[in-house]
Amino acid sequence: MSQDLTGRFVVALDLTGVTDKPGLMDRVARALALPDWFGRNWDALADSLCDHTVWPEGAVEQGMLVVVRGWQPYAEASPEQWRTAQVVFAEAVDRTPSLAVVLALGGTSQVIGRDPGCSVGA
């Protein structure tokens, strides 16, 4: 089953350099322009992802696509927290049909030890 993600309001959540939960929460707060009262915990993140009243302007009408990039070092540094983040993202998407969260691939060559001479599709 596929979902049409075209036309959605896109939010880039760049986790480059993030290695802990406070860093993740700060990046989410910035990317989504969350209010100062955002609690910076897992429950607050779930609530914010599902609450249209705190979404960026334009996202409610279009639906929102959150593209998470630079997540691999965080996943490696804090695997339990990353699993929790994935659960929070997945549950928010399940509860909010107009929300989609995707993990961008790329920049993983050091993580998986890819041969620099290797090219995809060759």
Side-chain angles (χ1 to χ4, degrees):
M1 180 170 155
S2 65
Q3 182 180 13
D4 182 12
L5 300 178
T6 58
R8 293 198 188 210
F9 185 91
V10 177
V11 173
L13 174 55
D14 187 355
L15 298 182
T16 303
V18 172
T19 58
D20 60 14
K21 181 180 168 188
L24 171 77
M25 294 297 171
D26 287 345
R27 293 285 176 90
V28 169
R30 243 182 290 148
L32 294 173
L34 294 175
D36 291 337
W37 47 262
F38 169 62
R40 288 179 164 71
N41 60 61
W42 298 121
D43 288 336
L45 175 57
D47 291 344
S48 296
L49 288 170
C50 296
D51 183 355
H52 292 162
T53 66
V54 298
W55 282 16
E57 189 174 332
V60 175
E61 296 81 22
Q62 296 174 252
M64 185 165 62
L65 171 62
V66 179
V67 179
V68 185
R69 59 180 297 261
W71 55 270
Q72 295 94 338
Y74 176 75
E76 188 175 300
S78 303
E80 288 183 35
Q81 290 177 9
W82 178 242
R83 281 190 291 279
T84 301
Q86 289 178 312
V87 168
V88 169
F89 291 143
E91 288 178 357
V93 168
D94 287 345
R95 291 180 14 206
T96 312
S98 57
L99 172 68
V101 177
V102 297
L103 302 180
L105 299 179
T108 60
S109 61
Q110 292 179 351
V111 176
I112 61 173
R114 189 176 119 202
D115 178 0
C118 177
S119 63
V120 176

